[in-house]
Structures are given as structure tokens and as C-alpha cells.
Amino acid sequence: MVPSPTDEIDHYKVLDLPSGEEGSRLTADQIEKAYKTQSRLRHPDKRPDDPNATADFQLLRASYDVLRDEQSRRAFDATVRARREKEVRDSARDGKRRKLAADLEERERAAERGEPLDADEIEKRREKSVAKELKRELDAFLNRNVRRSEPASAAASASASTSRGENHDSPEEKSNKERILKVSWERSLGEYTATRLREIFQKFGKVDDVVIRTKKSKSKGTALVVMSSRDAVMAATRSMCGDVTNPLLVLPLQTSSDGPDGFSAPFAEANDEPRISKIVGAGFSDYEASILKKLQQANKNKPAQ
């Protein structure tokens, strides 16, 4: 009896051939050659002491009959592809199940510690922890740059001041940071490319660079936009933060409090603090640092006036 293409038998493997996509590309001559080789090796006359020799040889012949017929072979190849696609889907579902199990275990541990069981509260705490760690890494990066550019004694003083919570950005670093905008958006409302973001922000001034975050979130997109001047950053932030219909969340990387021409303290409190957590996420620290490094290198390469 010839097995049907839907049987759980890999006819390529029965003939000792590669299976899957590689098997589907084999020629009829290659299949026939493999069958002749296997039939010589596995013929019952060659295995008189093997009680399964006859059944094995019949299976070999049945698999060959399936693969040498063009129509039945196409049907079998389609079945193999369907099986593999199912395995991929099952693997993805298993991953989701493992995440659900991990979340459940976390809630159970929180309950044992007397913490709230609400999943949203647990996620908020996790995001807060990630944001704190990213801020620590960015501060460490900036402090390392300060120490490299100052004499040893000044670096020691900067380190001591940092431990007391003071901010000692160099004028160049402060200027660079004030030229950078953090931008985020909900993917459900649309997607933004570097080209599209450049078009949007060019109306506020020259755009030096746009970096889309490479480690993408399924729900949120994020980017850094480097403007040519702090005035352009001010114009973009004031305009887009005041537009309630704007789908982009636009925040300066670093606000300035230089008076009426800069971002005043009330403006920063009203726009930056309540919403900044929406744009902070894993990976942001790395490419903030890379953007600052590019700006510093560009400043060094400028010809002397």
C-alpha cells in the first residue's frame, strides 16, 4: 500500500535524501539514483536474518512511488512546508506561554512579599528600575568624558561633586545635548522613518541627523533628532508639545533654564517630567551616547576659524 502524502512519513529521508526545501529541489534523476542505491543495500535477500527487511523494502518502494510522481511529490512537499510552519507557530506560542508563566511567578513572589498583585503596577516598577539604570549609565558616560578632558585634580573634584548629586557637563557637552530631541510615537497610530522625521523637523531648522532606535518595541517607536541649534530644538518642542493632535511625543534631551530665551523651569515641569517615562526604554542610553560622540567628533573636525 502506497502511503498518502498526508502520512507522517518523510519520503526523502526514507530514500536517505535531504528533506525540506533542499529535498524539493532534487531532480527526478537524483531521486531515482538514490532509490537504486538503497534498494541494493536494503533488499530482503541482502538481509535474510532481519525480520523487518521486507516491510522496510516495501516502505522504500512506496516512498519512491510518491516522489517519482510529479503530482504526489508536489502534494508531499506542500505537506512538509505546512508541518514546519506549524512547528514555528507552536514554538512562538510556547514562548508566549513561558512569558505568561514568568509573569505569574513574579506576581506570586510579589504576593509573598506583601506587594500588590496588579500586573500594571509590577510593570511600572520594572520600567522605573530600567529608567533609573539607564540614567545611571548615561551619567557615568558623561562623567568619563569630563574626566578625560580635565586635569587629574579637576577630574577628582568633578568626581566628588558628582557623588553629591551635582551636574558638571562641559560647555561643549551641554551644547550638544541641548541640540538633541527625543521623539516617540505609538506604532498603532502610524510608523515614522528617518526620512519622514527629517521632513517634519526641517520646518523648525536644519536637521543634522536622525537615528531610529534599532531595538524596536512592538507598540512604541523611538528616535533621536539632532538639530543644528538650540533655537531649533526650542521651536520644535514648543510647537509640537502644544499641538494636542500631534501623534509624536517630542522632548529635549536636556532642557535649559537660561531665561526667557531658553526653556524656563515652568515649561520643563509642565512638559518634561510627567511624560519623560513614556520615551525611556532599554537601549536608549547606548545610542544617546553614540550621538553625543558623533557630535563631539564633528566639533573636533571643524576647521579653525
Side-chain angles (χ1 to χ4, degrees):
M1 176 180 177
V2 177
S4 71
T6 58
D7 288 341
E8 294 295 327
I9 296 174
D10 191 326
H11 299 296
Y12 291 107
K13 290 184 178 180
V14 172
L15 272 67
D16 197 28
L17 289 168
S19 187
E21 292 300 320
E22 188 177 354
S24 66
R25 292 193 292 267
L26 293 171
T27 65
D29 289 342
Q30 289 174 312
I31 292 173
E32 183 178 0
K33 182 179 179 180
Y35 168 70
K36 289 180 178 179
T37 300
Q38 291 300 312
S39 63
R40 285 195 299 269
L41 295 173
R42 294 156 61 180
H43 195 278
D45 292 345
K46 300 280 188 178
R47 300 182 290 170
D49 299 328
D50 186 351
N52 298 319
T54 299
D56 178 62
F57 189 78
Q58 289 174 345
L59 176 60
L60 175 67
R61 179 66 193 188
S63 293
Y64 174 60
D65 288 341
V66 169
L67 296 180
R68 71 174 179 172
D69 181 78
E70 184 177 348
Q71 185 175 356
S72 63
R73 182 183 176 187
R74 280 200 302 268
F76 174 69
D77 289 339
T79 301
V80 172
R81 284 193 295 271
R83 287 180 197 162
R84 301 210 171 184
E85 289 170 0
K86 182 178 182 299
E87 289 173 359
V88 171
R89 291 194 300 270
D90 290 345
S91 176
R93 281 196 293 269
D94 289 342
K96 292 179 181 178
R97 292 190 189 101
R98 285 193 293 271
K99 184 179 185 305
L100 290 173
D103 291 344
L104 179 59
E105 291 176 0
E106 176 60 27
R107 289 195 291 271
E108 289 173 348
R109 286 193 293 268
E112 292 173 357
R113 296 191 298 264
E115 297 178 359
L117 291 174
D118 183 71
D120 291 338
E121 181 65 23
I122 293 174
E123 182 64 16
K124 287 179 183 177
R125 293 189 181 190
R126 188 192 68 80
E127 289 180 355
K128 184 177 179 181
S129 175
V130 171
K132 184 177 179 180
E133 178 63 18
L134 290 175
K135 184 178 184 303
R136 185 193 66 77
E137 292 177 0
L138 183 57
D139 288 344
F141 169 81
L142 296 176
N143 286 333
R144 285 197 299 272
N145 285 347
V146 169
R147 287 195 293 270
R148 282 197 296 267
S149 61
E150 295 179 349
S153 59
S157 174
S159 177
S161 299
T162 301
S163 66
R164 295 193 298 269
E166 299 177 12
N167 186 5
H168 285 275
D169 284 344
S170 68
E172 179 185 348
E173 288 166 347
K174 182 177 179 181
S175 175
N176 284 339
K177 290 170 69 175
E178 289 178 355
R179 291 169 49 204
I180 300 176
L181 289 167
K182 286 184 176 182
V183 183
S184 71
W185 61 91
E186 296 294 336
R187 294 187 184 281
S188 60
L189 300 179
E191 188 56 278
Y192 290 85
T193 62
T195 301
R196 176 58 179 150
L197 290 174
R198 187 180 291 272
E199 291 174 352
I200 292 173
F201 286 94
Q202 275 178 343
K203 64 183 179 182
F204 303 109
K206 182 183 176 183
V207 178
D208 287 344
D209 203 358
V210 178
V211 181
I212 301 291
R213 183 178 172 187
T214 56
K215 188 176 180 180
K216 296 181 179 178
S217 164
K218 291 183 179 179
S219 60
K220 188 181 294 295
T222 50
L224 291 180
V225 178
V226 183
M227 305 299 291
S228 61
S229 67
R230 183 165 63 90
D231 291 341
V233 169
M234 291 164 50
T237 308
R238 292 184 185 279
S239 175
M240 302 194 76
C241 285
D243 184 0
V244 296
T245 64
N246 173 41
L248 297 175
L249 170 61
V250 181
L251 297 172
L253 178 62
Q254 174 173 294
T255 58
S256 171
S257 55
D258 296 339
D261 294 332
F263 297 115
S264 63
F267 178 83
E269 291 173 1
N271 292 281
D272 190 21
E273 188 64 27
R275 303 169 69 186
I276 192 65
S277 64
K278 295 182 180 180
I279 198 168
V280 173
F284 233 107
S285 177
D286 290 340
Y287 79 98
E288 281 180 4
S290 69
I291 287 295
L292 289 172
K293 187 174 181 180
K294 287 172 64 177
L295 291 175
Q296 291 167 353
Q297 188 62 42
N299 290 336
K300 292 179 181 178
N301 294 336
K302 284 183 179 179
Q305 297 295 328

